[in-house]
Structures are given as structure tokens and as C-alpha cells.
Amino acid sequence: MRFNWRFLLLSSLLFSNFSWADAVDIEVNLPAFSGAMVYRPYVAVWVEDQQGDLVRSVSVWRKEADWLKDMRRWWRKAGRHDQGELEAITGATRRAGLHRVLWDGTDQQGQPVPNGHYTLYIEAAREHGSRSLVRQDIELGRPATLTTAAAEELGSMVIRVLR
């Protein structure tokens, strides 16, 4: 009789407390600009606790590391203190449109954070453009759909708290 590893793995996942749901689903909206000197923006998405301390840098979109400092709030909170986490969450800049970012409800060390009040930040900076910062208070443990107002470098965004 042959042992079926797939069956064991599948059954252990089905009968464990493992959760497939992400905690927060963020639709980052980058507006379209026209002109000769229009570059894709650098974007940072992160979460802070009630005391204003960094909980997690969720995603950073960049081309060259030199320009990360233009996302001033994120840089002061997380970027300049990078302990190697940045490479795991960094991706290329994105073109105009809607882009999905997921926060799994964990901190910088990968540990689940407790339910409660947090602030989600999205910051964008564009070369030969401006800088925008959007903040949205969220409550983990209380599912909700929230919509942010548009800013110069960021369009209106939808944030879904799933757990």
C-alpha cells in the first residue's frame, strides 16, 4: 500500500485552523497623467498601530532605491530602518489603473496582529510630479468596505477589511 502525501496535506489543511482569508484587501488607484515628463509613481503601503508605530510595510513599488526618500512619511517610519524586509515586499512601479494589494494581518516579523484599531497609509511620489499621502483608519475584527477620497497622485481607493 502506497502512502498518499497529497491526501495527508489536503486533509490537514481542511481540518486545521488555517485561514485562507486575507485581513485587508486594498485597491490602489493610480490616475493617468499625460505629458512629456510623466513617470510612474513610487508607492508605499503600510500599517501603523494606535501609537503611530509601524506594524508592517505591506508593499513598495519602486524603480531605483535613491528615490524612496521622496515618500517622506514611509521613509521616516520604515524605509530608513529597513532590516532586510524591503526586498521581500518591493516590486516595480506600476502604470495607471487599479492594482490590488493584500495585507494578511501580520506584523514585520510575520506574527498575526490582534483585532483592533490600525491606520492604513498609501503614499505616492512622482519624479517631476507631486507627492500624495492617503490615510484610512481600519478596525480589524470588524469587516467593512471603505472608500478614500482621491489625492493628486492617488485616485479614490476601496479598502475591504475582511476579518
Side-chain angles (χ1 to χ4, degrees):
M1 178 178 218
R2 226 170 88 190
F3 189 73
N4 189 337
W5 287 102
R6 285 186 219 149
F7 175 76
L8 178 64
L9 177 63
L10 180 61
S11 61
S12 66
L13 287 174
L14 288 174
F15 296 108
S16 70
N17 339 353
F18 183 78
S19 172
W20 289 98
D22 294 294
V24 182
D25 180 14
I26 307 140
E27 288 181 6
V28 177
N29 185 5
L30 301 178
F33 292 95
S34 59
M37 302 269 302
V38 175
Y39 297 96
R40 293 179 182 179
Y42 283 41
V43 176
V45 179
W46 76 97
V47 180
E48 294 179 14
D49 63 17
Q50 283 185 300
Q51 292 74 38
D53 294 327
L54 176 72
V55 172
R56 175 138 200 185
S57 286
V58 179
S59 189
V60 176
W61 305 340
R62 68 173 177 94
K63 184 176 178 185
E64 298 173 28
D66 295 350
W67 301 101
L68 288 174
K69 295 175 194 149
D70 287 353
M71 294 183 292
R72 294 181 199 134
R73 182 170 176 109
W74 172 79
W75 181 255
R76 286 191 304 269
K77 290 286 180 170
R80 68 179 173 186
H81 305 295
D82 176 38
Q83 300 297 312
E85 303 94 4
L86 188 56
E87 287 304 315
I89 61 162
T90 301
T93 57
R94 314 275 168 93
R95 65 182 65 219
L98 286 176
H99 304 278
R100 189 172 179 204
V101 175
L102 299 171
W103 176 44
D104 61 2
T106 61
D107 62 17
Q108 287 291 94
Q109 292 73 39
Q111 300 301 311
V113 299
N115 287 344
H117 179 79
Y118 296 89
T119 304
L120 175 71
Y121 288 91
I122 302 134
E123 187 169 19
R126 182 187 310 272
E127 184 179 357
H128 302 294
S130 62
R131 184 181 75 80
S132 294
L133 176 68
V134 172
R135 69 174 271 171
Q136 178 63 55
D137 292 330
I138 59 173
E139 185 82 26
L140 286 187
R142 184 173 290 175
T145 299
L146 309 160
T147 303
T148 68
E152 191 170 350
E153 295 292 337
L154 295 165
S156 176
M157 292 174 273
V158 176
I159 300 163
R160 291 178 189 85
V161 180
L162 304 174
R163 73 161 175 94

